[in-house]
Amino acid sequence: MSEDPSTGADTDEVTLGRIETEVALLMRFGEATRRRTGAEHRVLDRAAYVILRHLADAGPQNISALATRLNLDGSTVTRQVSAMQRDGLIVREPDPRDGRGMVVSPTPAGLQRMAAVQAARTRLYGDILAGWAPEDRDTLAEMLRRLNEALEHRPRP
């Protein structure tokens, strides 16, 4: 470990403190931006958007698989999925691998609303990052992917 000569602080600790602050601000600004943007961003709540994105990428999933992927309690995912089913965003069907279980799939309406939110968010980030060089945007995308992967695979206490 090296030490910052101007402060005497461990540089790794300082860097980790900066990361913590920037992630906290990112979460705060992200939520504030979502609330202040147009209606197309709000046609889905955050939980429904994330579930639909995952189902669109991974295909039908059971509640347990969704909970594991999203690092949430099964009862939380069950409540979210029930609300999404009432809103016509997903359907529950018998699991083709195990007829005793159920899997969740997006409906065409759910996929359409997810795509609208995704397009609106993509435009928003395009505007926000318009002044960035393409290679800087690529680097940001890769670093965020790596951070999310590390967060996903962090052992649960």
Side-chain angles (χ1 to χ4, degrees):
M1 288 194 219
S2 59
E3 192 172 282
D4 182 338
S6 63
T7 65
D10 178 307
T11 55
D12 193 43
E13 188 173 323
V14 170
T15 299
L16 292 173
R18 288 179 52 214
I19 291 168
E20 182 280 327
T21 298
E22 296 303 328
V23 169
L25 287 170
L26 176 65
M27 291 171 26
R28 170 67 185 99
F29 290 141
E31 183 59 25
T33 300
R34 186 187 69 79
R35 284 194 313 267
R36 286 192 314 259
T37 54
E40 68 272 9
H41 290 265
R42 294 189 297 268
V43 297
L44 287 174
D45 68 27
R46 183 177 42 228
Y49 178 74
V50 170
I51 288 170
L52 286 167
R53 286 294 312 262
H54 177 65
L55 292 173
D57 291 342
Q61 302 279 297
N62 63 35
I63 297 294
S64 177
L66 275 172
T68 298
R69 172 62 176 97
L70 301 174
N71 201 20
L72 293 170
D73 182 75
S75 63
T76 300
V77 175
T78 297
R79 282 191 304 277
Q80 292 168 341
V81 163
S82 293
M84 292 172 68
Q85 186 174 13
R86 281 191 305 274
D87 292 341
L89 302 174
I90 57 99
V91 292
R92 294 182 204 222
E93 301 169 316
D95 187 336
R97 293 170 294 188
D98 177 2
R100 297 170 295 171
M102 300 293 280
V103 292
V104 177
S105 301
T107 63
L111 291 174
Q112 182 179 17
R113 286 172 62 180
M114 182 213 60
V117 171
Q118 183 180 16
R121 288 179 175 184
T122 299
R123 284 191 305 276
L124 174 67
Y125 285 113
D127 292 344
I128 291 169
L129 301 173
W132 288 37
E135 55 274 6
D136 289 343
R137 286 187 274 176
D138 285 341
T139 299
L140 175 62
E142 178 59 18
M143 293 297 105
L144 289 171
R145 184 200 63 75
R146 287 179 57 193
L147 176 60
N148 281 322
E149 187 175 277
L151 289 168
E152 179 184 2
H153 293 102
R154 183 175 182 268
R156 285 184 168 190

